[in-house]
Amino acid sequence: MSGSLDLSRFRPPESFLEIAERLETEGFEAWAVGGSIRDQCALEIGGAAYLPASDWDLATNAHPEEVMHLFRRTVPVGIEHGTVGVLSGDVLVEVTTFRRDIETDGRHATVVFAEEIEQDLERRDFTINAIAWRPSTNELRDPTGGVADLTAGLLRAVGTAEDRFREDYLRVLRGFRFAGRFDLEIESETASAMAEAVAGLGRLSAERIREELMKVLADPVPSSALDFYATSGALTHWYPEVAVAAEDREIWLKTVASVDEVPSHRPALRLARWLVQTAVEPDARAAAAHSLTDRLRFSNADQKRVVHLVRHYLPFVGPLDSSSQQRRWLAEVEDAWRDVIRLHIADARALRSDRGAGYIAATWRAVHEEILSGAALSIGDLAIDGDDVLGLGVVHGPIVGLLLEELLEQVIEDPEANKRDRLLEEAQRLIELGSLAGARPPDPSGG
Ligand code: ATP
Ligand code: MG
């Protein structure tokens, strides 16, 4: 049933059509399935404000070895699940043989090949994700009523809701994402099954949870999906730090509104904004961000970046602060300064505050000027280095760094002090003062 959908307006990419045509010429069926068809339908129905750049996945009754035989350039991307990547130009299209589940355990499914597209659709998670379209005949297959649900604004599990979530608990979080993205109401049986299945989220792997979160954060407006996480109790297992913070509804709503305002092509920056709410004190915030990113097995580089941003979100600096305060802030925040400012821009936007936005813009200009002035902001910018300090008779060790840190402090206060002679003199003075434990004053006897 296609209702009032204008199928002629479905626009698959050329690469997809070429592969579909080839399969059809050889006597196989080639169907577009999953996210791309759902998104095209949503757009046609008017339930989506934008067209997400989703992949066009192809389902076929050709078996993987037949697919690999038909196309010259293939990649066995998921051959164990019947998926072969076919290259058309430099675009990789995933071609998957019709499947049906024979066994599931909440995390994985054992699948076998199926004969009919309908069987393949019936193993999918939500009705809106179980629609297929065959370009060669312009047929739509929608055995579970996905188009009707999309039209009615409903998210509904395929088949018996309870079973679907028990088969794979990740579907709970996927459901929140789709409901949030397309502004769907969760149909009541699906909703109660989801509420019950939330308790099973702990059985999933950290990787799947993380990837799902990052997909939410890459959506244009993630706040509704995030709010489903909060109101369903889904935060409890994987995001306890956030769950605690979310108890203050006012702060929570402000937070997710700000997350929306961070550009969607910066999901990690959005994550940082989301985690800022976990504590008031910078070290406590950083610790929360650290344990959460550990639990979700983020890469070291991503973790470092996110924790750094979360820590340095506040205290912030303003255009009316002294230039030495601005430089001190830059020295702390280092190359994340633009991103920290972006977080504050998002806050101002979320508050619809022109004054706030003006203030942040002025901050940006002020600190940027400090950077352009070439003022020293790190030890590497000092006019002397560790070897110079050692040349003054200081013993090797942490004291060298401490001395340079102290000199940097002075130079941040007064950029004029960043001259080799002045710094050597000051270093000498500090050593003689002995104020830095471990410094050995030069022997006055000269021996
Ligand atoms: P998006 O790409 O926007 O995240 P999508 O629906 O395309 O959304 P994919 O993960 O790319 O999601 O999966 C493609 C299709 O495969 C889905 O539309 C759905 O039909 C099916 N699918 C994916 N994951 C599951 C799952 N965990 N359980 C059941 N079906 C799934
Ligand atoms: Mg997809």
Side-chain angles (χ1 to χ4, degrees):
M1 182 216 76
S2 61
S4 57
L5 278 189
D6 183 357
L7 305 183
S8 67
R9 285 170 61 174
F10 286 4
R11 287 271 173 274
E14 268 315 305
S15 48
F16 178 92
L17 283 178
E18 270 169 29
I19 295 166
E21 255 176 56
R22 182 76 212 278
L23 283 162
E24 293 276 353
T25 311
E26 296 293 329
F28 297 108
E29 294 177 24
W31 296 82
V33 284
S36 56
I37 288 305
R38 174 200 63 222
D39 294 348
Q40 295 279 321
C41 291
L43 201 70
E44 273 306 304
I45 291 164
Y50 64 98
L51 184 59
S54 53
D55 301 322
W56 282 70
D57 297 328
L58 196 154
T60 181
N61 54 351
H63 282 202
E65 63 280 3
E66 292 173 313
V67 175
M68 287 191 288
H69 180 76
L70 269 181
F71 297 95
R72 244 183 329 122
R73 296 191 302 148
T74 60
V75 190
V77 282
I79 196 83
E80 65 285 8
H81 318 113
T83 303
V84 175
V86 177
L87 275 155
S88 169
D90 55 2
V91 183
L92 187 87
V93 175
E94 292 198 355
V95 176
T96 306
T97 307
F98 298 157
R99 298 171 297 181
R100 60 192 168 83
D101 296 338
I102 49 171
E103 202 188 310
T104 51
D105 65 356
R107 300 157 58 107
H108 313 101
T110 309
V111 294
V112 293
F113 296 140
E115 301 297 318
E116 314 273 339
I117 181 70
E118 277 81 2
Q119 294 169 297
D120 186 87
L121 294 175
E122 268 151 25
R123 64 177 285 278
R124 292 171 185 267
D125 48 5
F126 298 100
T127 62
I128 61 169
N129 286 344
I131 309 168
W133 173 67
R134 189 176 182 182
S136 71
T137 58
N138 204 22
E139 272 172 279
L140 200 75
R141 265 322 140 75
D142 179 18
T144 65
V147 173
D149 282 342
L150 209 46
T151 310
L154 277 181
L155 182 82
R156 184 196 312 269
V158 169
T160 311
E162 276 173 40
D163 298 345
R164 299 343 293 269
F165 298 112
R166 228 177 289 138
E167 285 161 10
D168 180 2
Y169 292 103
L170 189 72
R171 291 171 181 165
V172 176
L173 300 182
R174 287 173 55 84
F176 292 151
R177 175 156 56 93
F178 299 129
R181 185 194 283 178
F182 298 107
D183 195 16
L184 305 176
E185 193 185 316
I186 305 180
E187 174 276 326
S188 72
E189 263 177 45
T190 301
S192 38
M194 278 167 106
E196 205 166 302
V198 158
L201 289 174
R203 301 185 51 197
L204 297 169
S205 71
E207 286 73 14
R208 290 184 84 199
I209 295 284
R210 181 191 66 228
E211 274 172 26
E212 182 52 41
L213 175 70
M214 297 318 277
K215 282 187 179 181
V216 170
L217 292 177
D219 260 356
V221 184
S223 54
S224 348
L226 292 176
D227 203 29
F228 279 121
Y229 274 49
T231 52
S232 65
L235 292 173
T236 316
H237 188 85
W238 292 96
Y239 306 99
E241 300 85 354
V242 179
V244 171
E247 283 167 15
D248 185 329
R249 196 71 194 149
E250 204 180 317
I251 293 186
W252 168 258
L253 291 175
K254 259 193 203 160
T255 297
V256 292
S258 285
V259 170
D260 282 347
E261 297 295 338
V262 176
S264 59
H265 66 276
R266 300 289 312 276
L269 193 57
R270 282 178 154 186
L271 173 64
R273 182 60 191 84
W274 196 46
L275 299 184
V276 153
Q277 65 181 317
T278 48
V280 174
E281 203 265 320
D283 283 344
R285 274 202 305 271
H290 193 273
S291 58
L292 190 144
T293 46
D294 252 354
R295 190 178 309 120
L296 293 188
R297 309 232 172 109
F298 275 82
S299 71
N300 288 343
D302 286 348
Q303 175 176 62
K304 204 171 152 207
R305 185 81 183 168
V306 169
V307 170
H308 185 74
L309 286 167
V310 169
R311 183 196 298 282
H312 291 294
Y313 169 71
L314 282 175
F316 193 43
V317 79
L320 301 178
D321 287 323
S322 68
S323 48
S324 64
Q325 274 169 310
Q326 291 167 358
R327 287 192 294 274
R328 187 155 290 119
W329 180 78
L330 282 168
E332 293 272 329
V333 181
E334 301 175 325
D335 65 350
W337 70 270
R338 284 189 183 81
D339 283 346
V340 173
I341 293 183
R342 285 187 184 107
L343 294 177
H344 288 278
I345 292 175
D347 291 353
R349 286 212 183 118
L351 293 171
R352 310 270 172 263
S353 164
D354 288 342
R355 264 188 71 198
Y359 180 86
I360 312 291
T363 302
W364 184 297
R365 282 194 296 274
V367 300
H368 195 216
E369 250 168 57
E370 286 305 319
I371 290 175
L372 293 178
S373 78
L377 297 170
S378 72
I379 285 175
D381 300 331
L382 289 173
I384 66 170
D385 62 14
D387 287 339
D388 295 315
V389 172
L390 291 169
L392 294 173
V394 172
V395 289
H396 243 295
I399 190 66
V400 178
L402 286 175
L403 225 154
L404 292 171
E405 288 284 354
E406 171 60 30
L407 293 176
L408 178 63
E409 271 298 304
Q410 297 186 14
V411 166
I412 285 175
E413 199 54 49
D414 172 18
E416 287 303 306
N418 195 16
K419 307 236 160 47
R420 190 174 160 78
D421 290 351
R422 270 183 75 170
L423 291 183
L424 285 174
E425 210 173 286
E426 180 58 15
Q428 184 74 44
R429 193 183 70 83
L430 288 168
I431 293 165
E432 278 166 18
L433 260 173
S435 60
L436 296 156
R440 178 169 50 97
D443 188 341
S445 69

